[in-house]
Amino acid sequence: MKSGLNGQQKGRRRILPVAALLLCAALFSALGVWQVNRLAWKRALIAHVNEVSTANPVEARLLPMAPSPRDLADLEYRHVWALGRFEPQGTTLVSALTERGAGYWVLAPLRMADGRAVWINRGYVPLGSTALAEAAQTPTGEVAITGLLRKTEPKGRFLQANVPAQDRWYARDIAVISATRGVKGQAAWFIDAQGPEIPGNPIPGLTVVQFPNSHLQYALTWFAMALLSLFAIRLVWRRVP
């Protein structure tokens, strides 16, 4: 009789830690499955971007000016080209941190033949360089620009929001920049210009097309923790007095 009571008491003492470990194992397994799904999504994204960024360029006029968020995500990094004339009064310097150091992106609106405008990131100029003054002098006449389509950046940089009233820009927020510069009929996206580096001009082609992909390591870590939780259940079952 006493032996039966001791067995029941031992079982009750085991219930709480075993239940907690089972919950942990289930949670860790779910996180592992989530990371596996994220891995598949990231691989598909990388393949898509590699395909569209190296394909033959599409004319900007053929693309929607205000695509839905889902369509815009599909359009990003697509190889595009645009033909038009720059509007010098719209030129805007946006703070930039690049592989070449701190500086500015030089943005200018390009008015196309159909009357619509698309903002062009002409490239990068370093801080304190003589190229800053030259960068503000946008080319005149009709120009053709080839580059990668990019999404607008309405959220700004971490801890640094745009201050339009002071003409201080930290993010390429096309809607706000357009409103501040008085540019009408603009696309909701912009083009990162590509091309050869020309002395005295903004440096194009610095678009970062890289996506960190550590989801496999994360998945393996979560699954390992789930297995450890199951192993801990075995220890608890054997050693709880």
Side-chain angles (χ1 to χ4, degrees), residues 3-88:
S3 176
L5 289 174
N6 288 338
Q8 292 177 359
Q9 292 174 351
K10 184 183 295 186
R12 284 195 293 268
R13 284 195 296 268
R14 290 170 173 167
I15 288 176
L16 185 59
V18 167
L21 288 168
L22 280 173
L23 180 62
C24 288
L27 176 62
F28 294 147
S29 296
L31 289 171
V33 171
W34 176 65
Q35 286 295 340
V36 168
N37 293 333
R38 292 281 294 175
L39 175 63
W41 167 79
K42 184 62 69 67
R43 286 177 173 173
L45 173 65
I46 293 172
H48 170 73
V49 169
N50 288 339
E51 178 184 357
V52 299
S53 63
T54 57
N56 292 330
V58 178
E59 186 178 3
R61 290 194 302 172
L62 302 179
L63 301 175
M65 293 288 105
S68 67
R70 182 174 181 178
D71 289 340
L72 184 55
D74 182 64
L75 288 171
E76 189 170 26
Y77 297 107
R78 190 171 295 276
H79 199 191
V80 298
W81 68 274
L83 182 68
R85 296 175 181 270
F86 281 116
E87 297 183 346

Side-chain angles (χ1 to χ4, degrees), residues 86-196:
F86 281 116
E87 297 183 346
Q89 71 277 11
T91 297
T92 302
L93 299 181
V94 181
S95 178
L97 295 173
T98 75
E99 60 187 23
R100 301 202 182 194
Y104 295 96
W105 299 122
V106 182
L107 267 65
L110 184 78
R111 186 69 60 179
M112 298 181 291
D114 61 5
R116 296 180 298 175
V118 58
W119 282 86
I120 307 296
N121 175 16
R122 295 178 55 215
Y124 161 82
V125 288
L127 291 172
S129 70
T130 56
L132 274 174
E134 296 176 1
Q137 304 300 317
T138 54
T140 58
E142 193 171 60
V143 295
I145 301 293
T146 300
L148 301 181
L149 187 150
R150 300 297 309 280
K151 290 192 297 186
T152 184
E153 300 169 345
K155 294 184 178 180
R157 189 188 295 174
F158 182 63
L159 296 181
Q160 287 184 308
N162 290 331
V163 188
Q166 300 177 20
D167 203 28
R168 291 163 54 191
W169 303 96
Y170 300 98
R172 294 165 291 188
D173 187 336
I174 297 305
V176 176
I177 293 176
S178 296
T180 303
R181 293 289 188 260
V183 177
K184 304 293 185 181
Q186 80 284 352
W189 39 267
F190 63 95
I191 297 175
D192 267 349
Q194 294 182 310

